[in-house]
Amino acid sequence: MAIYKGKPTKDGRIYFFRVKYKTLYGDVKDYSSQKYKTKKEAEHEEMLFKLDNEKRNKSGISLTFEDIYNEYMLKHSKEIKPQTVSRTNDLFKHLESIKSIKINDFSLAKYNLFRKGLESKNLSVDRSNKILALLRKLISYSNKYYNTNDHILKFIDNFKSVNKFKKEMKFFTYDEYKKFDSVIDALDYKVFFMVLYFLGLRQGEAQSLIWKDIDFDKATISISKTLTTKIKGERWTISTPKTTSSIDVLPIPKNVLKWLKKLNNKAKEYKNYSDDWFVFGCIEPFKETTICKKKNEYCKLAGVKQIRIHDFRHSCASFLINNGANVVLVSKYLRHSKVSITLDTYSHLYESELKNITKKIESLF
């Protein structure tokens, strides 16, 4: 028994064990335990550690990616948002081709075959890398708890594409937005898209708004939550926003405030009106599928290009930048966690500003 004495802790624990053990693949690893009050207790814990390690080595032999995924989600599902659970399940669908493979049998050749299959799906770089991130998590989790092989991790590199996101980005110019807005005959949808365009809210943030979130006297809007209707078995789910920086109070432009008041007055016509009602939808929030359907219809009627719902947020950024807002202000308005995120996303929109700076420098000589 390799039991040692160390410097006593504040509560009198002094004994610990240190062992060298072999993994299933013959690798030798060192382990030093926490401290215990008695030598007998340390010896007991050392025995349990050795037994547990033997169990991990044996049980890890037959574990598949699907086995580990099910355990991983069971352990973490209570710690993460329902939306994240749903998104992770969607990502795992892309591991369908390897889910029955034993993690110990996941060779470089099998990984390369999987990667080629992933490339053939023509997914975005961001989504492809999220799938690879999930793959890495499962392999690391299996190695941590079952001592399975994790050697393949050093070969799993992210996909790279220069400025791919920027090329895919679409947005409405102000003139295009005006054409789009001109064909909307439903007051609630007119205001909904107005809030997306001029305030830069994410779709879920706009869906989750209730009348209490709007202070008409101060002309401010409180953004503290987000909503999704994609969680299986739930009509809708409300949770905290994407990041803590997304929680903020924004000033409302006068033209937007005017239309919000019109919508609020219309809602108040109902006898059972409550300021806990959703701004967009009253008793029940707008559905994501309906929002997309309406957007497509209005784009077609207006004769403008089709953009995604999230592109209204990009449109807001473009509108701000074209009207002279500096990057710090845009970052604050869009509630990015870092100014660098704004720069990385919208640097191409600042190219004309860079040219103006160059002209100013040249004028000095």
Side-chain angles (χ1 to χ4, degrees):
M1 294 290 183
I3 306 300
Y4 301 89
K5 278 187 177 181
K7 186 178 179 181
T9 60
K10 290 182 180 180
D11 58 355
R13 290 179 287 116
I14 188 171
Y15 294 97
F16 68 97
F17 66 86
R18 182 183 297 142
V19 295
K20 288 181 179 292
Y21 64 96
K22 283 188 176 182
T23 69
L24 185 63
Y25 305 96
D27 299 324
V28 178
K29 292 188 177 182
D30 292 313
Y31 177 78
S32 293
S33 74
Q34 64 182 52
K35 291 178 181 177
Y36 303 95
K37 287 188 177 181
T38 67
K39 183 178 181 181
K40 188 175 181 179
E41 185 180 5
E43 289 173 346
H44 177 71
E45 292 298 327
E46 181 189 31
M47 180 183 68
L48 290 178
F49 175 85
K50 289 180 177 179
L51 288 173
D52 188 49
N53 183 60
E54 289 179 10
K55 179 183 175 183
R56 285 200 305 269
N57 281 341
K58 290 178 181 178
S59 61
I61 294 174
S62 60
L63 285 173
T64 66
F65 279 101
E66 187 171 30
D67 293 330
I68 287 298
Y69 180 73
N70 290 335
E71 181 179 319
Y72 175 84
M73 291 305 290
L74 184 65
K75 183 174 182 179
H76 291 91
S77 59
K78 293 181 179 179
E79 305 167 5
I80 56 181
K81 298 177 184 178
Q83 301 98 298
T84 306
V85 172
S86 179
R87 284 195 294 268
T88 307
N89 286 335
D90 287 339
L91 292 175
F92 185 69
K93 290 177 183 177
H94 293 283
L95 300 183
E96 180 74 23
S97 63
I98 64 169
K99 71 177 186 179
S100 298
I101 295 177
K102 295 175 184 178
I103 293 182
N104 285 333
D105 295 339
F106 194 53
S107 62
L108 179 58
K110 290 179 179 178
Y111 166 68
N112 287 334
L113 189 62
F114 163 75
R115 189 179 178 99
K116 286 182 180 178
L118 193 59
E119 288 176 340
S120 68
K121 293 182 179 182
N122 292 319
L123 302 172
S124 69
V125 171
D126 180 61
R127 186 159 181 79
S128 296
N129 286 337
K130 285 179 180 178
I131 294 166
L132 292 181
L134 176 60
L135 178 63
R136 283 191 288 264
K137 285 180 182 178
L138 296 180
I139 294 171
S140 296
Y141 178 92
S142 183
N143 173 260
K144 179 178 179 180
Y145 291 100
Y146 296 101
N147 205 33
T148 50
N149 190 356
D150 67 347
H151 295 170
I152 196 69
L153 286 176
K154 61 186 176 184
F155 298 106
I156 304 178
D157 297 323
N158 279 349
F159 290 98
K160 296 180 181 180
S161 179
V162 180
N163 294 330
K164 181 175 177 63
F165 177 75
K166 294 175 183 177
K167 292 178 182 178
E168 292 179 346
M169 184 189 298
K170 293 182 180 179
F171 54 85
F172 279 160
T173 63
Y174 181 54
D175 287 339
E176 287 173 325
Y177 167 74
K178 285 194 295 182
K179 288 181 181 179
F180 174 82
D181 176 72
S182 68
V183 302
I184 305 177
D185 53 359
L187 177 62
D188 49 1
Y189 277 97
K190 189 180 193 72
V191 181
F192 178 79
F193 288 112
M194 189 178 293
V195 165
L196 295 186
Y197 188 86
F198 289 110
L199 295 180
L201 268 64
R202 301 176 179 91
Q203 176 177 281
E205 293 169 343
Q207 285 176 284
S208 70
L209 288 175
I210 60 176
W211 288 113
K212 278 183 180 177
D213 295 326
I214 299 174
D215 189 324
F216 287 104
D217 294 328
K218 294 181 180 179
T220 59
I221 186 168
S222 176
I223 304 162
S224 59
K225 54 194 179 302
T226 188
L227 179 149
T228 182
T229 55
K230 291 182 178 179
I231 305 301
K232 189 175 182 180
E234 297 184 18
R235 293 168 70 188
W236 66 78
T237 304
I238 295 178
S239 61
T240 53
K242 186 177 181 182
T243 61
T244 54
S245 62
S246 296
I247 301 174
D248 207 348
V249 176
L250 287 180
I252 305 174
K254 289 182 180 180
N255 60 325
V256 179
L257 186 67
K258 178 185 72 174
W259 284 97
L260 279 167
K261 284 181 178 178
K262 286 183 180 181
L263 186 59
N264 184 240
N265 289 334
K266 182 179 179 181
K268 286 180 177 179
E269 292 176 2
Y270 293 94
K271 291 181 180 179
N272 58 339
Y273 166 80
S274 168
D275 57 6
D276 284 320
W277 277 13
F278 291 103
V279 174
F280 304 110
C282 292
I283 298 175
E284 294 193 5
F286 280 179
K287 291 183 179 180
E288 294 171 34
T289 52
T290 307
I291 292 169
C292 187
K293 181 181 177 181
K294 289 286 186 181
K295 183 268 299 177
N296 291 342
E297 290 176 358
Y298 296 143
C299 283
K300 189 174 180 179
L301 279 172
V304 294
K305 61 178 176 282
Q306 290 285 353
I307 65 173
R308 302 169 303 172
I309 298 297
H310 193 72
D311 288 327
F312 279 83
R313 184 168 166 83
H314 298 323
S315 299
C316 178
S318 174
F319 178 80
L320 293 173
I321 293 168
N322 287 328
N323 282 279
N326 63 52
V327 67
V328 176
L329 182 59
V330 174
S331 183
K332 173 67 176 175
Y333 198 76
L334 295 181
R335 294 161 291 117
H336 285 156
S337 57
K338 298 178 182 178
V339 174
S340 60
I341 294 175
T342 315
L343 278 172
D344 290 342
T345 308
Y346 302 113
S347 60
H348 61 298
L349 297 180
Y350 279 99
E351 288 178 1
S352 60
E353 295 298 319
L354 291 172
K355 290 179 181 178
N356 289 336
I357 291 174
T358 302
K359 289 179 180 179
K360 287 180 181 179
I361 294 174
E362 290 172 346
S363 68
L364 297 175
F365 296 92

